[in-house]
């Protein structure tokens, strides 16, 4: 499977999943997500998918200092509706990593490991997302802004040509390369595009 090399340079997200441990899926419940894993799940790599991944990475880094984040015990809130803009894409990426779901997730076993009711929409927050630990109730607001990484004129032109189905095969391939180059540029500036505020 061929993919852009920068995927492997993006920090991995390591968690402990007690459900995985209980059911014998992973030894000690240790789970590791890479950006490549999320791209396979989402079906594409773009600034939105990357942003959702990086927001999760930075939020968990702040909430669990010198600890392993506990999958299935992290609440996530959004100010928008699930169907608004790219909220659905972002929430799906975050759900895949943290296990948090609105009402469609694992129902649990005898009251344990319930993954539902950990994701909420249309909440009164000003950030892109708010992450809260279920055990300590500590929260962080996460902000993502990649507007400083502008789309080049060449990329814009090729995108329009591809979407209008006027591009040839070489132009389509070049568009993909330039698109991922922009995603890579964003990934190289994590601390510039992501900010985390403790609540």
């Amino acid at each position: 499977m061929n993919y852009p090399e920068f995927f492997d340079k993006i920090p991995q997200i390591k968690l402990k999943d007690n459900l995985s441990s209980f059911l014998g899926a992973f030894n000690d419940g240790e789970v590791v997500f890479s950006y490549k894993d999320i791209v396979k799940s989402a079906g594409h790599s773009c600034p939105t998918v990357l942003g959702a991944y990086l927001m999760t990475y930075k939020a968990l880094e702040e909430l669990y200092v010198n600890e392993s984040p506990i999958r299935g015990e992290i609440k996530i809130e959004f100010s928008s509706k699930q169907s608004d803009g790219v909220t659905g894409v972002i929430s799906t990426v975050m759900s895949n990593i943290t296990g948090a779901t609105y009402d469609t997730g694992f129902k649990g076993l005898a009251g344990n490991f319930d993954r539902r009711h950990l994701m909420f929409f249309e909440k009164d927050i000003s950030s892109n997302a708010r992450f809260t630990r279920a055990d300590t109730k500590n929260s962080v607001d996460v902000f993502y802004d990649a507007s400083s990484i502008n789309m080049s004129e060449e990329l814009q032109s090729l995108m329009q040509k591809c979407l209008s189905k006027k591009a040839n095969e070489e132009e389509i391939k070049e568009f993909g390369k330039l698109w991922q180059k922009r995603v890579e540029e964003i990934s190289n500036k994590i601390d510039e595009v992501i900010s985390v505020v403790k609540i």
Side-chain angles (χ1 to χ4, degrees):
M1 182 172 63
N2 295 321
Y3 57 91
E5 292 182 1
F6 79 88
F7 284 10
D8 292 331
K9 297 178 182 179
I10 297 173
Q12 294 182 332
I13 299 176
K14 300 179 181 181
L15 310 94
K16 183 173 183 181
D17 190 327
N18 292 326
L19 175 60
S20 293
S21 178
F22 182 69
L23 296 178
F26 297 105
N27 290 338
D28 300 320
E30 294 181 356
V31 179
V32 179
F33 286 94
S34 68
Y35 180 60
K36 181 176 68 176
D37 293 329
I38 296 305
V39 170
K40 286 189 287 185
S41 176
H44 67 290
S45 167
C46 71
T48 297
V49 172
L50 175 66
Y53 182 89
L54 294 179
M55 281 192 282
T56 305
Y57 168 73
K58 294 296 286 186
L60 298 183
E61 183 180 57
E62 188 67 39
L63 278 176
Y64 293 87
V65 179
N66 298 321
E67 296 180 71
S68 293
I70 307 299
R71 194 163 189 261
E73 296 186 17
I74 301 160
K75 181 174 77 171
I76 304 176
E77 299 169 90
F78 300 92
S79 62
S80 54
K81 294 180 181 179
Q82 190 172 15
S83 58
D84 285 350
V86 294
T87 303
V89 176
I90 294 171
S91 62
T92 298
V93 169
M94 293 179 175
S95 177
N96 285 340
I97 298 170
T98 66
T101 69
Y102 177 61
D103 60 3
T104 57
F106 185 65
K107 295 181 178 180
L109 297 167
N112 301 297
F113 312 119
D114 193 336
R115 299 290 170 88
R116 301 167 301 165
H117 314 303
L118 287 171
M119 185 167 279
F120 301 88
F121 301 88
E122 298 183 81
K123 305 301 289 186
D124 186 21
I125 61 173
S126 60
S127 60
N128 291 101
R130 177 173 292 174
F131 288 70
T132 302
R133 288 179 58 157
D135 55 354
T136 65
K137 308 303 180 187
N138 291 337
S139 300
V140 293
D141 274 344
V142 190
F143 300 83
Y144 173 60
D145 183 2
S147 61
S148 61
I149 315 297
N150 295 318
M151 185 184 296
S152 69
E153 290 184 9
E154 183 181 6
L155 179 55
Q156 292 181 50
S157 176
L158 278 175
M159 177 181 241
Q160 292 173 2
K161 200 169 185 179
C162 290
L163 292 176
S164 63
K165 299 182 180 179
K166 296 178 180 178
N168 58 39
E169 188 174 336
E170 288 186 6
E171 289 172 324
I172 292 172
K173 288 182 179 179
E174 182 63 17
F175 166 72
K177 290 179 181 178
L178 290 175
W179 182 266
Q180 291 309 317
K181 181 180 179 182
R182 180 167 181 251
V183 177
E184 180 178 11
E185 289 174 355
I186 295 172
S187 73
N188 288 332
K189 298 183 178 181
I190 297 177
D191 292 329
E192 290 182 33
V193 301
I194 302 285
S195 58
V196 182
V197 178
K198 290 183 178 179
I199 304 302

